[in-house]
Amino acid sequence: METNQWLKRIEDTATVKKYGKVTRIVGLMIEATGPETSIGDVCFVYTNGKSSKPIKAEVVGFQQKSVLLMPYSELKHIGPGCLVESTNQSLVVKAGNSLIGNVLNGLGEPLDGSSLPENLTYVPTDQDPPNPMERAPIREPISIGIRAIDGLLTVGKGQRVGIFAGSGVGKSTLLGMIARNSDADINVIALIGERGREVREFIEKDLGDEGLKKSIVVVATSDQPALQRIKGAYTATAICEYFRDQGLNVNLMMDSVTRVAMAQREVGLASGEPPTTKGYTPSVFAILPKLLERTGANNRGSITAFYTVLVDGDDMNEPVADAVRGTLDGHFVLDRSIAEQGRYPAISILKSISRVMQNISSREHLQAAEYIRNILATYEENKELIQIGAYKKGASREVDQAISFYPQIVKYLKQDVHENVTGGEGIQMLLELANGSER
């Protein structure tokens, strides 16, 4: 470093540290007088307890002369008069190849309490989405390893997809299959608001050793403070951005974006925002597009993102589901009635769509997919008549054909959890199925 640069650094160095003081705590919020800081900055709150380790908190607002802080961890040993120190920067985490195979908390620290590997790079968790003019068009499919998706809902590198489902319909199992079977270079899996019991179960059962070898898992369980759950989503996205900028094709799987929205609602209500649609605050609908738009392709690599969306009572039109569906490039709907039949993955082909499939699939593939969809639609329209025996064979050629080939289509859509079918194999099987049903 040149002498002038050293001199400038010395001149810019603050010789006096300025601290604020905690004045009161209301619910989840810490109020303090000072220090000089701005929205999004990380602060250290020094505690009154025996532990000398300060608590990290983030500036989420201001009220007259008070600074409003939200902690990343539990509010323990904090009282009036505790010192508050600002770092004057937003949260940063470390990313790098040596993170692969690790399980992190929402702040990017090892969940088992061990030390982070060496040779990692600092990356800010809060980044702007890529410039629209720098986004590479999606022109290449990515093999997911699930027949129903590769054949009928083809996904492209850099596409962002929502997985919409109620509770207990197989979202985690589907994510585990994608992580193991996809041909992406690396997976980043964010488990936001999950039950503590389900985290290890997902890693050992759904993901498995094979999936963990090329994955980084970020966990912020439901018992963690709201801000850490939000930061878990931002941390996972920032790690993906680091690998995308290295020229890799990354899979981001976030379960679930609904719980990120719920955590933001908690923060918004605590900081004084008015509740609007179904109790969600305006900031929820401001951060969702910003978070979701950060993924996708740029001129170096791609992030193919899968966001699960919890729909209360299987209502696909609730506010968060509506906002997410309008931002993403497609949606897969998991149907409870299909799951109840024991058919997994329980994807409703007719209710699902991939908005980029037309751009990345061959004409022959598109024709076969459309033909199978038409047969499914015909069967579903006449399902009640068929099941009660009111339909008479020969009344309609299309219905007769749908009844004849429906079992073969169901067999194609059904896939064992540990069955791996490449994208090419899935498409070839679809073409054979379509050609067979035309005869």
Side-chain angles (χ1 to χ4, degrees), residues 152-416:
L152 294 162
L153 300 163
T154 311
V155 174
K157 289 181 180 177
Q159 186 175 353
R160 299 158 306 143
V161 179
I163 299 173
F164 293 73
S167 56
V169 190
K171 296 184 302 299
S172 297
T173 304
L174 180 61
L175 291 183
M177 290 177 72
I178 294 171
R180 291 193 309 273
N181 301 346
S182 169
D183 63 1
D185 299 314
I186 182 174
N187 301 308
V188 179
I189 303 167
L191 303 177
I192 310 298
E194 286 285 344
R195 303 176 188 89
R197 174 188 63 82
E198 290 180 332
V199 172
R200 189 165 177 179
E201 190 175 292
F202 173 83
I203 293 169
E204 294 180 359
K205 180 185 171 185
D206 296 322
L207 189 59
D209 292 337
E210 183 186 346
L212 190 59
K213 283 177 184 175
K214 65 169 190 174
S215 302
I216 298 168
V217 183
V218 179
V219 176
T221 50
S222 57
D223 60 299
Q224 295 298 321
L227 198 59
Q228 185 163 159
R229 280 176 270 147
I230 297 168
K231 289 302 170 184
Y234 279 67
T235 295
T237 306
I239 292 170
C240 286
E241 289 167 329
Y242 168 82
F243 286 107
R244 176 180 62 186
D245 291 343
Q246 304 300 310
L248 299 180
N249 295 311
V250 188
N251 272 354
L252 169 64
M253 284 160 274
M254 189 177 294
D255 184 16
S256 73
V257 73
T258 306
R259 293 192 179 113
V260 177
M262 289 176 175
Q264 180 61 38
R265 176 172 62 184
E266 286 182 45
V267 173
L269 290 172
S271 58
E273 278 189 83
T276 52
T277 314
K278 284 198 174 180
Y280 287 101
T281 55
S283 62
V284 172
F285 303 102
I287 72 152
L288 279 178
K290 186 178 178 184
L291 175 65
L292 302 178
E293 287 287 355
R294 285 172 61 180
T295 53
N298 65 8
N299 50 18
R300 282 165 283 187
S302 68
I303 302 172
T304 307
F306 299 89
Y307 298 98
T308 68
V309 182
L310 283 167
V311 284
D312 294 333
D314 297 329
D315 176 16
M316 298 296 168
N317 297 315
E318 61 100 23
V320 173
D322 236 12
V324 171
R325 188 168 50 239
T327 306
L328 300 179
D329 309 315
H331 54 271
F332 302 160
V333 177
L334 302 189
D335 195 314
R336 191 174 299 278
S337 64
I338 294 175
E340 288 168 352
Q341 296 169 19
R343 195 178 102 200
Y344 290 97
I347 300 172
S348 172
I349 300 298
L350 298 178
K351 294 177 184 176
S352 306
I353 190 170
S354 170
R355 293 180 182 172
V356 304
M357 185 175 174
Q358 295 285 337
N359 303 328
I360 59 177
S361 301
S362 67
R363 185 178 177 184
E364 186 184 18
H365 177 195
L366 290 171
Q367 287 175 342
E370 185 179 354
Y371 184 71
I372 296 300
R373 272 179 172 268
N374 287 338
I375 292 178
L376 278 172
T378 302
Y379 186 88
E380 289 297 327
E381 285 172 9
N382 297 275
K383 189 174 182 179
E384 290 184 8
L385 290 175
I386 296 166
Q387 288 178 338
I388 65 173
Y391 174 76
K392 292 183 179 180
K393 188 176 181 181
S396 167
R397 181 177 175 274
E398 289 79 11
V399 178
D400 288 345
Q401 186 185 41
I403 294 170
S404 174
F405 285 96
Y406 184 73
Q408 294 179 41
I409 295 172
V410 169
K411 186 179 178 182
Y412 173 81
L413 296 176
K414 192 174 181 178
Q415 184 170 334
D416 186 77

